[in-house]
Amino acid sequence: MFVYMVLSRHVSKTISRSSTLFSASLRSQHLSTFSDHFQSLLPQSQSEVSPSSVTSIIDGLKKLYIQKLKPLEVTYRFNDFVFPLLTNSDFEAKPMVMLLGQYSTGKTTFIKHLLKSNYPGAHIGPEPTTDRFVAIMSGPDERTIPGNTVAVQADMPFSGLTSFGTAFLSKFECAQMPHPLLDQITLVDSPGVLSGEKQRTQRSYDFTGVTSWFAAKCDLILLLFDPHKLDISDEFKRVISSLRGHDDKVRVVLNKADQVDTQQLMRVYGALMWSLGKVLNTPEVTRVYIGSFIEKPVNDAAGGPIGRELFEKEQDDLLSDLKDIPKMACDRRINEFVKRARAAKIHACIISHLKNEMPVLLGKAKAQERLIDNLASEFVKVQREFHLPPGDFPDIEHFREILSGFNIGNFERLKPKMIQAVDDMLAYDIPNLLKNFKSTYD
């Protein structure tokens, strides 16, 4: 009996000591895990992108994209929903200016006016002559390059256009010619936007999607109007709507203004502003340049001496805007990069939220259908959960259309380290990059 009691006490003490050690081990592991988690929340940016390895602001942005932003975009399929992945040529490309407008509003003539000559393959006439998108770039000699060839050239920033398919690439080409202006900027001519009966004829590619792609790449977008064609067709309305988010790049040009007298010009200007106000839907007044951007001298019989002076001042203002583009190119790159980073972060939050709303086993099809139908309310939930500004969220209808082609259950859950890396990039890396290079033109 005595032996039994001694053994019982020994076993009890052993169990007690083991339990104490196990509890201490758990506490140690918990503190270690908490410490690791806390350390992961601290900025880790300083050690990843070395300032000495960066030769310019553009080079720094390129490295930040590869190390921090691109992994987030790939993980949450940002390139499938919003913008294609960036390449080196996208960072190194010259500033771009795109011209949009209905047919025969003088887009190709405007480019001829700037270059003082026709670009290779240009056609000018009263009928719809430009039936394709044309990128006018600097080159050693005059030639045109087909769209399929341009899209696979690594030194050109058009690889993202392959997502629009062969139907579009057959309607896209690059015109090269030696010119001092083209050494600084790239011009993009576009087909005339259809109006009347013509807009019922479906194009073989997504015209609005293409203009939206170019709008994201361009530094300036010129909307050209003719005093005799102020009506904004359904297709033109969709095109202008696709420019939302790029309002700071848009300039309106009332071309061929010398074809009407001063009294008519005042009425035309008022009608144009009224029409644009219904489509642009912004409280700010859009800058409108009035002039006649052709090789012929201004028609004094219509405008008179006041009209000539007005047109010359407006032309000087517009040309000044164009000359400032190369100077502001680096600022624009930074601005677009920050916009892209914020859009990618919001996209990741949306995708991960939708993933969390999906059931683990049964009822996935019904849950996906419910999420797609109630996408507006899901956006509100994401906005509240992550404290995001509502104005930065994507267009609901466009997002819904793309989302319906995916299985939400295959999406990734939120990865805080990736989000933190992008936050650190915006809060520390980019400001340090700008600080190291005092001038954005370095």
Side-chain angles (χ1 to χ4, degrees):
M1 183 67 180
F2 175 75
V3 175
Y4 176 76
M5 291 176 64
V6 170
L7 287 174
S8 296
R9 287 174 186 172
H10 178 72
V11 171
S12 178
K13 288 180 181 180
T14 303
I15 293 174
S16 178
R17 283 198 301 269
S18 300
S19 177
T20 304
L21 290 171
F22 182 70
S23 299
S25 175
L26 281 178
R27 283 197 300 271
S28 175
Q29 288 179 12
H30 179 72
L31 288 171
S32 176
T33 303
F34 177 78
S35 176
D36 292 343
H37 177 67
F38 179 75
Q39 289 294 329
S40 70
L41 296 179
L42 294 176
Q44 304 292 328
S45 58
Q46 289 81 358
S47 61
E48 291 186 18
V49 180
S50 173
S52 61
S53 66
V54 175
T55 58
S56 66
I57 288 180
I58 298 301
D59 183 51
L61 291 178
K62 195 189 305 182
K63 290 181 178 178
L64 285 174
Y65 176 74
I66 293 171
Q67 291 181 17
K68 298 196 171 184
L69 187 54
K70 188 176 181 180
L72 184 76
E73 293 184 358
V74 172
T75 301
Y76 296 100
R77 300 173 179 264
F78 182 73
N79 54 308
D80 292 323
F81 283 79
V82 190
F83 300 123
L85 299 175
L86 295 178
T87 61
N88 288 342
S89 59
D90 290 314
F91 288 96
E92 298 161 2
K94 294 172 186 172
M96 282 197 284
V97 178
M98 177 169 64
L99 288 83
L100 290 170
Q102 297 186 153
Y103 70 90
S104 298
T105 52
K107 298 184 296 297
T108 306
T109 307
F110 182 91
I111 294 175
K112 179 183 177 182
H113 180 70
L114 289 178
L115 302 178
K116 306 299 181 187
S117 66
N118 280 323
Y119 63 79
H123 300 286
I124 298 174
E127 77 283 359
T129 50
T130 306
D131 64 343
R132 61 194 62 227
F133 281 84
V134 184
I136 303 104
M137 308 178 73
S138 177
D141 51 11
E142 295 191 5
R143 63 169 183 158
T144 59
I145 308 174
N148 284 285
T149 305
V150 174
V152 296
Q153 287 191 240
D155 59 338
M156 290 192 177
F158 303 113
S159 60
L161 291 172
T162 53
S163 61
F164 296 101
T166 308
F168 166 71
L169 292 176
S170 63
K171 294 291 185 180
F172 172 63
E173 67 182 22
C174 173
Q176 289 187 333
M177 61 184 292
H179 195 282
L181 178 62
L182 297 178
D183 290 337
Q184 303 295 323
I185 62 175
T186 295
L187 300 171
V188 179
D189 198 0
S190 63
V193 180
L194 301 178
S195 61
E197 289 294 323
K198 300 182 192 70
Q199 68 184 349
R200 296 182 182 178
T201 306
Q202 294 293 320
R203 298 184 190 266
S204 58
Y205 60 91
D206 181 8
F207 183 81
T208 305
V210 171
T211 54
S212 180
W213 186 92
F214 274 109
K217 300 283 184 184
C218 284
D219 294 69
L220 194 68
I221 303 166
L222 298 179
L223 294 178
L224 274 75
F225 288 88
D226 185 320
H228 302 291
K229 296 177 182 176
L230 294 181
D231 61 309
I232 299 179
S233 65
D234 292 342
E235 185 174 53
F236 202 10
K237 194 177 295 183
R238 289 194 298 271
V239 167
I240 295 175
S241 297
S242 72
L243 303 180
R244 284 176 186 162
H246 308 289
D247 304 321
D248 56 322
K249 304 178 185 179
V250 177
R251 305 288 186 275
V252 177
V253 178
L254 181 56
N255 199 16
K256 304 181 184 179
D258 62 343
Q259 294 182 1
V260 295
D261 59 37
T262 307
Q263 184 183 18
Q264 290 175 325
L265 182 59
M266 291 175 62
R267 293 174 177 171
V268 165
Y269 180 82
L272 175 60
M273 295 301 290
W274 180 80
S275 298
L276 286 173
K278 294 176 66 177
V279 179
L280 292 176
N281 198 25
T282 57
E284 295 83 9
V285 177
T286 307
R287 177 67 165 97
V288 178
Y289 297 95
I290 303 172
S292 183
F293 300 93
I294 57 176
E295 292 301 309
K296 298 178 183 178
V298 174
N299 182 12
D300 288 332
I306 298 177
R308 171 182 284 276
E309 185 181 356
L310 171 66
F311 297 160
E312 287 176 351
K313 287 182 178 178
E314 291 286 288
Q315 179 169 310
D316 290 343
D317 287 349
L318 180 54
L319 292 176
S320 177
D321 244 8
L322 291 171
K323 288 177 183 176
D324 285 341
I325 291 175
K327 297 178 184 178
M328 304 296 291
C330 189
D331 293 322
R332 178 74 67 184
R333 289 282 188 277
I334 298 167
N335 185 57
E336 292 299 317
F337 187 83
V338 171
K339 280 169 59 177
R340 184 186 182 100
R342 288 176 176 156
K345 177 185 171 182
I346 289 177
H347 177 79
C349 292
I350 294 172
I351 292 296
S352 59
H353 169 79
L354 295 175
K355 167 70 174 181
N356 289 338
E357 294 294 309
M358 291 289 287
V360 178
L361 295 176
L362 302 176
K364 290 185 178 182
K366 288 184 178 180
Q368 173 154 334
E369 186 178 348
R370 175 180 55 79
L371 288 172
I372 293 175
D373 290 341
N374 301 322
L375 202 55
S377 61
E378 299 302 324
F379 276 18
V380 173
K381 291 179 185 177
V382 175
Q383 176 196 335
R384 291 174 179 171
E385 181 182 354
F386 297 99
H387 309 288
L388 300 171
D392 290 350
F393 276 68
D395 179 72
I396 291 179
E397 293 304 321
H398 178 68
F399 194 91
R400 178 183 285 122
E401 182 182 349
I402 299 176
L403 182 63
S404 60
F406 287 89
N407 183 350
I408 298 178
N410 293 335
F411 290 158
E412 294 286 341
R413 297 189 185 278
L414 190 65
K415 297 185 178 181
K417 285 188 177 180
M418 283 190 172
I419 299 294
Q420 189 63 43
V422 173
D423 286 340
D424 291 345
M425 180 186 72
L426 295 174
Y428 301 100
D429 293 323
I430 294 179
N432 287 339
L433 187 63
L434 299 179
K435 186 178 178 181
N436 292 331
F437 295 90
K438 301 295 183 183
S439 170
T440 54
Y441 312 124
D442 290 346

